Amino acid sequence: MNTITGNKEYIIEKTDNGKKYFHFIGIGGIGMSALALCLVNNGFKISGSDIASNLNIENLISKQAKITIGHNPKNVEDASLVVASSAIKSDNPEIVRAKELNIPIIHRSQLLEAMMSGLGRDDKPISIGVSGTHGKTTTTGMMGMIFEHSGLKPSIVVGGMIPALNTNSKFDNGKYFVSELDESDGTIKGCLSMQEDSYREGNIREKSLKEI
């Protein structure tokens, strides 16, 4: 998949600061839905598609996200920017159509990088990334809840549900942004390239080291 830069300024320009649609291919996934939920809760226009509905999709629809079940070239025609994960192949009909229409395509890790750089807010948050072979979702959720219960109003993006919040992401106006970073899809590389403020790595296997 040929993708363009995911920097914050480029995304703001292409989406008119969120007034035009971000389109998520595979929006029901736990990581993709977390990003989409953060944006829609911040007033951004979100559309998306997936092969089947689930609770993540139902939640996004309840917040006015425009979601279609099934991948169809027509789904991207109102989009200003397409977001895809590593699970989406280059022959996906929506990817093919986006390229035909010259709609920019970014990887989910690039969007997360932009959000941790301040997309959707007036300042750059203090960003904290958590990675590792085992326990990164739990550690990220626990860290986010520590900040939450301390009254710091953090933004949180996790690849799993946080039981105390009943969500996998939260956008708030506090100065901290806590996120899980996945070594398997380039998230670590992207977020480290922006020199995040803090990086927490748990235990890590040789296979994961090769993916960083």
Side-chain angles (χ1 to χ4, degrees), residues 10-21:
Y10 184 91
I11 292 173
I12 288 172
E13 175 190 348
K14 290 299 177 183
T15 64
D16 193 13
N17 202 24
K19 296 175 184 174
K20 298 178 181 177
Y21 279 101

Side-chain angles (χ1 to χ4, degrees), residues 5 11 25 29 37 54 61 63 74 76 83 87 96 122-123 135 151 173-174 183 207:
T5 177
I11 292 173
I25 304 176
L37 185 60
N54 60 24
I61 290 174
K63 297 178 181 295
K74 293 182 179 179
V76 302
V83 184
V96 172
D122 296 329
D123 59 343
N173 59 7
E183 75 281 354
K207 177 178 181 292

Side-chain angles (χ1 to χ4, degrees), residues 105-116:
I105 304 167
I106 66 172
H107 190 270
R108 64 169 297 276
S109 62
Q110 293 174 297
L111 177 58
L112 177 58
E113 175 189 345
M115 291 167 66
M116 295 180 81

Side-chain angles (χ1 to χ4, degrees), residues 13-198:
E13 175 190 348
K14 290 299 177 183
T15 64
D16 193 13
N17 202 24
K19 296 175 184 174
K20 298 178 181 177
Y21 279 101
F22 287 75
H23 182 80
F24 288 75
I25 304 176
I27 196 168
I30 194 68
M32 291 283 274
S33 62
L35 296 175
L37 185 60
C38 250
L39 291 179
V40 79
N41 282 338
N42 195 31
F44 284 50
K45 297 183 74 172
I46 300 300
S47 66
S49 63
D50 215 316
I51 58 174
S53 186
N54 60 24
L55 292 177
N56 298 328
I57 286 175
E58 291 174 9
N59 184 35
L60 285 164
I61 290 174
S62 74
K63 297 178 181 295
Q64 309 306 310
K66 186 174 72 172
I67 300 176
T68 304
I69 301 305
H71 296 306
N72 189 304
K74 293 182 179 179
N75 292 341
V76 302
E77 293 182 354
D78 291 333
S80 62
L81 188 75
V82 169
V83 184
S85 70
S86 301
I88 305 302
K89 305 305 181 186
S90 60
D91 61 353
N92 180 284
E94 296 183 12
I95 292 290
V96 172
R97 185 57 175 157
K99 289 180 178 178
E100 292 174 350
L101 296 174
N102 292 317
I103 299 170
I105 304 167
I106 66 172
H107 190 270
R108 64 169 297 276
S109 62
Q110 293 174 297
L111 177 58
L112 177 58
E113 175 189 345
M115 291 167 66
M116 295 180 81
S117 296
L119 180 66
R121 50 191 294 160
D122 296 329
D123 59 343
K124 180 188 179 300
I126 296 172
S127 54
I128 301 171
V130 180
S131 190
T133 303
H134 303 292
K136 55 184 175 287
T137 300
T138 302
T139 303
T140 307
M142 290 173 63
M143 189 177 295
M145 289 309 301
I146 290 170
F147 281 63
E148 178 74 8
H149 285 297
S150 297
L152 296 173
K153 299 182 178 179
S155 294
I156 308 168
V157 173
V158 190
M161 299 299 287
I162 303 173
L165 296 177
N166 194 33
T167 186
N168 53 352
S169 72
K170 170 183 173 287
F171 182 89
D172 214 326
N173 59 7
K175 65 180 181 179
Y176 294 99
F177 193 119
V178 183
S179 178
E180 176 179 349
L181 306 183
D182 191 339
E183 75 281 354
S184 67
D185 68 353
T187 306
I188 292 178
K189 288 181 181 178
C191 291
L192 287 182
S193 70
M194 73 171 193
Q195 297 182 332
E196 72 209 80
D197 302 289
S198 178

